[in-house]
Amino acid sequence: MNLRDACRGAGQLFAAVVLIAVSWIAAPNSARAADRPINREILNREILGLYDSSKELSAEETRLHRWLEMPLNHLGYKLKLHDMAKGLPPIAETKRYHAVVTWFSDRVIDAQLYLNWASQAARSGVRFVVIDSVGMLGDKEDLPRVNAFLRELDLAFADYYVSDSSGTRIKTIDTAMTGFEHKLDPERLPGHQVVIAKSSAIKVHLSVTDPAHQWVKAPSSILVATSPKGGFIASGFAVRYDDAQDRVRWIVDPFKFLEAALGSKRRPIPDTTTISGRRIYFSHIDGDGWNNLTEVHPYSAERGSAAEVMLDTLIAPYPDLPVSVGLIAGDVDPDFGGVTTNAGIAEAMYAMPHVEVASHTHSHPYDWKYFENYDRDREVADVLSFSSSETHFDDRSLRNLVAEWRSALPGDGKNTPAITHEGVKNAQLPRARPHHPFDLALEVQGALATATELAPEGKRANLYLWSGNTRPFEAAVRETRLAGVRNLNGGDSRFDSAFPSVAYVAPLSRVVGAERQIYAVNSNENTYTNGWTGPFDAFRLLKETVDNTETPRRLKGFNLYYHAFSATKQAGLDSILSHLDYARSLPLAPITASQYTGVAEGFFTARIAEAGRDRWRITERGELDTVRFDAADDLVADYTASTGVVGHNYHFGSLYVTLDRAVREPVIALRAVAGSTQKFGHRGAHLVDGRWQLSAVSRSPCSIAANAQGFGIGDMTWGGFAPGVYTMIARRDGETVAEQRVTADDDGRIKFAVDTDAIEPVQLSISCTAPASAQLPKQAASRR
C-alpha cells in the first residue's frame, strides 16, 4: 500500500473516530435550540443584505461583504447576504431580521419588483439601511416608485438632480459622523439627487444647499441621515475612491452610522477580540515552502530547508507563544513528489507543547472553485498548456514537474526543492501537486490523518487551513466539519499606510452555502511581498495593522500568520521575529488558532436574552467567553446579581466582561457607577485581566479559586479585594507548582505572575493571610 492509499484509508478511519470522540470541537454547545425554552426577549442580531449578482458576481465580492460586514460584526450583528437574482424573500420572512441593508451601484435587476417589495417590507416594520442607489434612477418616470419606498423611511426624492459643479455648499455637518477617513471638499461635492426629509424624526448628519437655485420646496438636500426606521447615505457620500492610489476610504464613520441607523440601545455584544480582559494573540503557519532550500546562514551551507530554520528560529525559542503548524501532506508524500525525510521536522514541531497540529491540504489547491466539478482530463490539458519558459518553481521548470507527474516518479530527495510556495507564477496552476487525480476525501481527511500520524500519541490535527485563493466550495468546507475539525484562512485584513482604511479589515467569516468559513484575523506576508517576489522585509508593516485595529476601537486580535517560505530569506525571517518579540512586549492572551475559530463560531451561535433590567442570559456561545458593552465607562459588573461572570475590564470606553468557561448559561448583570467616590465600587472579587483563561471560578468569604489554562507565565491582575496580604497557590494534580504572598493595594487590586505555564491546567487559589480582617468584602474595590 502506498502512502496515498494509506492516507485515504487513515483519513476515513480518522473521520469516523473524530465524529464520535471530538464532536464538541465543531459544536461545543451541542444541545439543540429546540430542546430549550425560547425567551421572547432574544436580541435580534440578524441583518439581511440584498445584492444583485448581475452587477456584483458573488457574495464575497459585494461592497456589503467587503466593506460593511466588518462594522456590522463589530456591533454584534450577523449579515445574511441574499442574491436578488434568485428572487426576493417573502415579506413575512423579513420580520425575522433586525434590518435590511443595501448598497447598490445603480438600477437593480427588476427594479420595479424590488421597490414594490421594499415598500411592503418597510411598511411591515423592518428597518432599512440604504447606501448609494435605492435600486432605481430618480428620473420623472421612476420617481413615483422610488418615493413609494422612500416615504416609508420618511424621505423623498425631489425632481431635481444636482451636478457636481452646481455650486452646492454644506449646510449641516455632523463632524462626529462624517469626515471619518476622507474629509469632503466643500468646494467640490459629488452630484446627487435632492433628498427631502418628511418627518421630524429624521436626524440629519450631512446636508447641502444651493444658494443660486434654492430648490423649490427643498431649501436643503439630505445626504446622510438616520432615524428609528433606518439610515440613508446618498450616492458618492459613503466612501471615496482614489483613482490615483486605487484605494478607498470611508467618508462616513460606518460604526457610528450603523449604530444610529440600527438602534443604539445598550446590549451585550459577543466579542471575538478579547479573552480574560486582554486582546487575544494567535499564530498559524501555512506549510508552503516546507522543503524549499533556505538562503539563511548557516543552514544554507548544509542545504537546509525552510522548515528546519522555522523550527529552530521561530518556534522552539518561543514556547510562551502558541503556534498552529499546517503541514501540506504532499510535501512528505513521495507519491506526490514530497520529501519523506523532512517529515521528521514536523514530528519535532508537533511534539512541542505549544505547537498545535494542523493541516494545510494534501496537494495544495490554488483555485478551489476549479475542483468543485473536477475533470481530470481538463486539469491535464491545463497544466500542459503552461509554457515552461514562463513558469518556474525554485529553479525547476514546469516541464520537469509535468514529466515527474506524468511518469509518477518521486523527487530526488533533499536536493530537489519542493513545489509549494504561493508565488505569482506557480499560482497559475490549479494546484501545486497535480500528480494524481483530485480526491476531496484525501485532500481533507487524508491530509489531517497525515498530520496526526506525525504528532505524539494523544495529539491530533484539529484545524484545516485553506490554501491558494482561500475560497473553498461548499462541499470542501462541509468535509472539514464532517471530519470534526475547524477551518480557517481568507479575509486578508490590512489596515496600514498602504491600505489606509477600515474598509480593508475583513469580517469574521464567509458563508458558503450551508457552511461557514472562518477568516484569519490578519493577512500573511504573501500580500505584503507581492506574492513573495519582494521586497522580502515588507511584512514588518503588519505592526501597523496590529496597532490600528487596537485603537481607538479594538476591531481584531493579533494574528501572526505566515508561510514556511518566509524562512528562506533572512529579511522575511527577521520580519517574523520582530512580530514575535512585539507580541511578547504586549499584555496579550495567547490562544491556539483552533480556539480562535471556536470563538468566531461562537459569535454566530450565541443567543442573548434580556433577563431583566440591565441583565442578560447568554446561551449557545461555544468558546466565546467575552461580551462587550460599548460606551459603558459608567458601568461595572454586578457580581452578586450575576452568575458565571469571572471579571471585567475596560478599553477605550468599552466594558469587556469575561465569562466562566465552565458555566453553560451565564447571566450578566450591570450596575451604574454612582459617582467618582465610588468609581471602583462593585460587588465581588474578580479578574481584571490575565494571560491565562479561567473556569469553574468559586468565591467564598476569604478565598477565590479557579481552574487556569494558558501559555507562558501566568501574569494577571485581580480586583475587588480588601487591602491586605493574601496567599496565592497554584497546584497541578494536587502538587503545588507555585506559591507566593501577594498584596491588595488601596484600590483592591492584586498583581502577580505564576512562574510556570498552564498548558496543562493548574488550580489557582487566592486566600486571606494577614491581617485576619482581610476578608473578601461584600462590596469591594478596584475597577481596573
Side-chain angles (χ1 to χ4, degrees):
M1 179 184 295
N2 60 29
L3 182 58
R4 175 164 55 95
D5 294 333
C7 285
R8 183 181 291 110
Q12 293 168 350
L13 176 62
F14 174 76
V17 172
V18 164
L19 284 173
I20 297 170
V22 293
S23 59
W24 63 272
I25 287 182
N29 283 340
S30 57
R32 294 179 303 165
D35 296 333
R36 300 180 181 178
I38 300 298
N39 189 316
R40 293 182 180 178
E41 300 302 319
I42 294 288
L43 300 186
N44 188 349
R45 301 193 292 127
E46 298 278 349
I47 304 291
L48 176 64
L50 298 178
Y51 74 98
D52 179 0
S53 62
S54 69
K55 305 292 174 62
E56 297 177 296
L57 298 183
S58 63
E60 57 263 24
E61 294 172 354
T62 63
R63 289 174 290 273
L64 290 175
H65 178 69
R66 292 183 295 136
W67 298 341
L68 201 68
E69 188 169 355
M70 183 280 291
L72 284 169
N73 289 165
H74 180 72
L75 296 174
Y77 294 105
K78 302 178 287 184
L79 179 66
K80 178 181 179 181
L81 290 168
H82 178 85
D83 180 7
M84 296 193 305
K86 298 178 180 179
L88 291 162
I91 295 297
E93 188 179 314
T94 62
K95 294 181 180 179
R96 62 173 283 197
Y97 298 104
H98 182 74
V100 176
V101 299
T102 64
W103 197 331
F104 304 135
S105 57
D106 49 28
R107 190 183 187 95
V108 298
I109 188 170
D110 206 338
Q112 182 174 342
L113 177 66
Y114 164 67
L115 284 172
N116 289 340
W117 176 92
S119 299
Q120 295 179 58
R123 199 175 304 125
S124 72
V126 66
R127 294 173 186 250
F128 264 80
V129 177
V130 178
I131 302 177
D132 280 8
S133 171
V134 298
M136 183 182 281
L137 301 177
D139 54 28
K140 288 184 178 181
E141 180 181 348
D142 294 336
L143 200 59
R145 298 185 185 92
V146 171
N147 280 338
F149 164 55
L150 286 179
R151 69 168 167 251
E152 300 299 335
L153 309 183
D154 295 330
L155 297 170
F157 274 178
D159 185 13
Y160 196 96
Y161 184 84
V162 181
S163 70
D164 55 8
S165 59
S166 70
T168 54
R169 295 292 182 267
I170 293 174
K171 179 181 180 181
T172 303
I173 184 166
D174 178 355
T175 55
M177 181 78 76
T178 59
F180 180 59
E181 294 172 342
H182 172 80
K183 297 189 182 300
L184 290 169
D185 182 349
E187 303 295 325
R188 299 179 62 185
L189 297 173
H192 63 278
Q193 190 89 18
V194 174
V195 181
I196 306 166
K198 291 292 187 179
S199 168
S200 59
I202 296 291
K203 184 173 183 180
V204 178
H205 304 284
L206 179 65
S207 69
V208 296
T209 187
D210 187 342
H213 294 88
Q214 286 295 321
W215 311 302
V216 177
K217 297 182 181 179
S220 63
S221 179
I222 295 170
L223 301 175
V224 180
T226 57
S227 78
K229 294 184 177 182
F232 171 81
I233 305 178
S235 293
F237 289 91
V239 297
R240 166 69 174 174
Y241 177 71
D242 186 329
D243 292 298
Q245 296 185 357
D246 188 27
R247 293 291 181 264
V248 68
R249 290 177 174 84
W250 278 95
I251 297 170
V252 171
D253 183 332
F255 306 100
K256 291 183 179 178
F257 172 75
L258 289 171
E259 188 174 41
L262 300 175
S264 57
K265 181 180 179 181
R266 182 171 282 153
R267 68 202 185 283
I269 297 172
D271 188 90
T272 63
T273 70
T274 304
I275 283 178
S276 297
R278 291 188 178 184
R279 189 185 195 186
I280 65 168
Y281 167 89
F282 72 96
S283 178
H284 66 291
I285 303 171
D286 291 349
D288 310 39
W290 187 271
N291 298 322
N292 286 6
L293 300 182
T294 184
E295 299 173 11
V296 174
H297 181 77
Y299 299 88
S300 57
E302 299 295 327
R303 298 181 63 80
S305 69
E308 293 176 70
V309 178
M310 194 166 63
L311 170 63
D312 292 347
T313 309
L314 301 177
I315 295 178
Y318 294 88
D320 52 323
L321 296 177
V323 59
S324 304
V325 178
L327 178 71
I328 300 172
D331 279 354
V332 296
D333 182 349
D335 237 12
F336 280 77
V339 181
T340 56
T341 53
N342 280 352
I345 301 174
E347 289 182 318
M349 290 181 185
Y350 291 155
M352 295 180 176
H354 69 296
V355 176
E356 180 176 49
V357 184
S359 170
H360 190 50
T361 77
H362 194 99
S363 65
H364 199 281
Y366 290 120
D367 180 1
W368 279 89
K369 185 72 174 176
Y370 187 96
F371 299 97
E372 185 171 16
N373 299 297
Y374 178 64
D375 184 329
R376 179 59 169 174
D377 291 338
R378 175 194 173 196
E379 184 180 28
V380 170
D382 287 347
V383 171
L384 290 174
S385 70
F386 287 110
S387 167
S388 62
S389 64
E390 297 177 357
T391 309
H392 294 266
F393 308 89
D394 296 325
D395 301 323
R396 185 166 59 166
S397 70
L398 178 60
R399 179 178 298 167
N400 292 334
L401 167 64
V402 173
E404 171 195 307
W405 160 56
R406 293 296 297 275
S407 61
L409 292 175
D412 58 357
K414 287 182 66 178
N415 293 328
T416 302
I419 306 153
T420 50
H421 71 65
E422 290 186 62
V424 170
K425 294 179 180 178
N426 56 322
Q428 297 176 71
L429 285 171
R431 52 182 172 148
R433 295 185 176 276
H435 300 64
H436 298 277
F438 181 82
D439 181 339
L440 184 57
L442 177 66
E443 203 65 46
V444 176
Q445 297 177 18
L448 290 162
T450 296
T452 297
E453 288 168 0
L454 296 173
E457 185 176 356
K459 201 171 182 180
R460 57 175 292 276
N462 53 17
L463 180 66
Y464 194 83
L465 301 170
W466 301 111
S467 61
N469 66 358
T470 64
R471 289 189 179 181
F473 50 93
E474 181 180 6
V477 183
R478 181 168 60 247
E479 193 78 8
T480 65
R481 178 172 57 81
L482 294 177
V485 302
R486 292 174 173 146
N487 76 94
L488 183 69
N489 272 353
D492 284 328
S493 289
R494 298 271 305 263
F495 187 9
D496 52 42
S497 52
F499 292 86
S501 172
V502 295
Y504 299 103
V505 180
L508 291 173
S509 71
R510 165 181 173 254
V511 173
V512 194
E515 305 297 332
R516 187 179 297 278
Q517 169 190 350
I518 302 300
Y519 282 154
V521 165
N522 292 141
S523 188
N524 57 69
E525 80 280 49
N526 221 31
T527 69
Y528 292 82
T529 61
N530 301 302
W532 198 238
T533 62
F536 297 108
D537 63 348
F539 193 40
R540 288 180 180 272
L541 204 59
L542 170 67
K543 182 179 181 296
E544 292 185 13
T545 294
V546 171
D547 292 345
N548 290 338
T549 53
E550 170 70 347
T551 59
R553 51 177 65 83
R554 183 174 290 163
L555 298 176
K556 296 284 184 179
F558 183 163
N559 172 204
L560 178 53
Y561 166 27
Y562 58 96
H563 298 82
F565 57 68
S566 269
T568 65
K569 303 280 187 182
Q570 188 65 52
L573 190 69
D574 290 343
S575 296
I576 296 168
L577 287 168
S578 72
H579 299 315
L580 288 166
D581 292 337
Y582 187 47
R584 273 186 168 172
S585 73
L586 299 175
L588 301 170
I591 61 174
T592 62
S594 69
Q595 183 179 347
Y596 168 74
T597 63
V599 169
E601 289 168 356
F603 172 90
F604 296 100
T605 60
R607 292 162 64 87
I608 303 170
E610 294 183 357
R613 183 176 180 181
D614 291 333
R615 295 181 80 238
W616 298 267
R617 183 182 300 275
I618 316 294
T619 60
E620 301 180 46
R621 74 183 198 275
E623 291 197 44
L624 187 143
D625 292 333
T626 299
V627 295
R628 189 184 83 247
F629 296 85
D630 287 339
D633 203 41
D634 59 339
L635 295 175
V636 292
D638 187 341
Y639 292 91
T640 61
S642 301
T643 57
V645 174
V646 173
H648 70 272
N649 202 354
Y650 298 82
H651 180 71
F652 278 80
S654 292
L655 170 65
Y656 292 77
V657 177
T658 301
L659 305 178
D660 193 321
R661 304 183 75 193
V663 177
R664 187 179 181 82
E665 297 187 358
V667 174
I668 302 168
L670 303 180
R671 72 182 186 86
V673 176
S676 59
T677 59
Q678 298 185 33
K679 185 176 181 181
F680 299 101
H682 52 84
R683 301 181 177 93
H686 65 281
L687 179 72
V688 176
D689 70 88
R691 190 177 178 90
W692 293 349
Q693 300 167 68
L694 305 180
S695 62
V697 176
S698 62
R699 297 176 174 90
S700 65
C702 198
S703 68
I704 188 167
N707 294 329
Q709 191 164 19
F711 297 89
I713 291 175
D715 63 282
M716 58 190 75
T717 301
W718 292 76
F721 287 83
V725 180
Y726 296 80
T727 299
M728 182 283 297
I729 300 177
R731 298 181 177 88
R732 182 181 289 118
D733 299 326
E735 295 187 7
T736 298
V737 295
E739 180 175 354
Q740 59 181 282
R741 286 197 170 191
V742 294
T743 301
D745 61 21
D746 292 341
D747 287 333
R749 290 191 295 183
I750 293 175
K751 292 185 178 182
F752 59 85
V754 185
D755 193 14
T756 184
D757 67 53
I759 298 175
E760 293 297 323
V762 299
Q763 294 72 50
L764 192 68
S765 67
I766 306 171
S767 55
C768 301
T769 301
S773 61
Q775 305 284 308
L776 291 181
K778 292 182 179 179
Q779 173 125 359
S782 177
R783 180 186 140 188
R784 308 186 192 227

